[in-house]
Amino acid sequence: MSEQQPNPYTSDPAGQGGQPGTPATSGQGDYKWGPGEASYGYPQPYPAPPAYQPTIGGAGIPSPAYHAAPVGGAGLSLGDITVAGDQIITPSGNMPLRGAMWNATDFSRTEEKIPPHAIVLAIIFFLFCLLGLLFLLMKQKTTTGYIQVTVTSGGRHHSTMIPAVDAYTYQWVMGQLNYARSLSI
């Protein structure tokens, strides 16, 4: 425990205790981090990172290039995923429509409960006549959550969330998704 380990973050790879920023004396040079030579079974070098492109254009700042939809217009739109012509347009980029994989997951739930005004009416009318208990049969359904729609095509993947407004939102999304699947064949 009394033996001190060399600092792995110094520029001296041999651990000789050199000053940071000075070249190593063993002839191996400083450690270079980041994408370098291809590794882990990838024969091609890493691609260069894309240039910075701001999202809002202004004076002297170029605005982002958007791909216009074909003349036919949008055939389908689910959240921020749009099918237009033979392409799928998403905020993360365009994807080819042919061979796209579409999935939907239901993360919504529907609860059924007796509303508070039904309980108040049941108590008031119970005192006057026994028919007031029929107010307890009133039910109120509320749906919360969302439906997640994912599309994968051309090596890209995009996911969007569609809020569930009622118990039939998932059936509507699945109808749209089945239409998108038929277009992807």
Side-chain angles (χ1 to χ4, degrees):
M1 229 4 136
S2 64
E3 191 175 322
Q4 185 176 5
Q5 299 293 324
N7 185 356
Y9 300 108
T10 62
S11 63
D12 186 22
Q16 302 292 329
Q19 294 296 324
T22 61
T25 57
S26 65
Q28 290 184 348
D30 288 342
Y31 173 74
K32 181 182 171 192
W33 64 275
E37 292 296 320
S39 60
Y40 299 106
Y42 294 102
Q44 71 274 7
Y46 293 109
Y52 172 73
Q53 191 171 10
T55 57
I56 300 174
I61 300 174
S63 61
Y66 292 106
H67 300 286
V71 178
L76 171 73
S77 181
L78 282 169
D80 57 3
I81 300 172
T82 303
V83 176
D86 62 345
Q87 289 190 346
I88 302 168
I89 302 170
T90 64
S92 59
N94 293 354
M95 300 180 223
L97 179 61
R98 179 170 287 269
M101 297 293 296
W102 297 86
N103 291 315
T105 307
D106 188 10
F107 290 112
S108 65
R109 66 177 188 179
T110 301
E111 297 176 345
E112 186 176 292
K113 62 181 183 177
I114 300 172
H117 65 273
I119 296 172
V120 171
L121 288 173
I123 292 172
I124 291 173
F125 283 102
F126 177 73
L127 298 176
F128 296 114
C129 59
L130 294 176
L131 295 176
L133 294 177
L134 291 176
F135 284 108
L136 294 178
L137 295 176
M138 292 174 59
K139 301 291 182 188
Q140 178 182 13
K141 290 184 179 182
T142 56
T143 301
T144 57
Y146 56 90
I147 290 102
Q148 179 183 26
V149 176
T150 59
V151 61
T152 304
S153 179
R156 290 187 178 207
H157 176 80
H158 185 73
S159 176
T160 186
M161 307 292 184
I162 299 173
V165 293
D166 59 10
Y168 302 106
T169 304
Y170 184 68
Q171 285 83 3
W172 175 80
V173 168
M174 285 306 296
Q176 297 290 317
L177 206 68
N178 287 332
Y179 177 64
R181 287 176 180 161
S182 70
L183 294 174
S184 298
I185 296 176

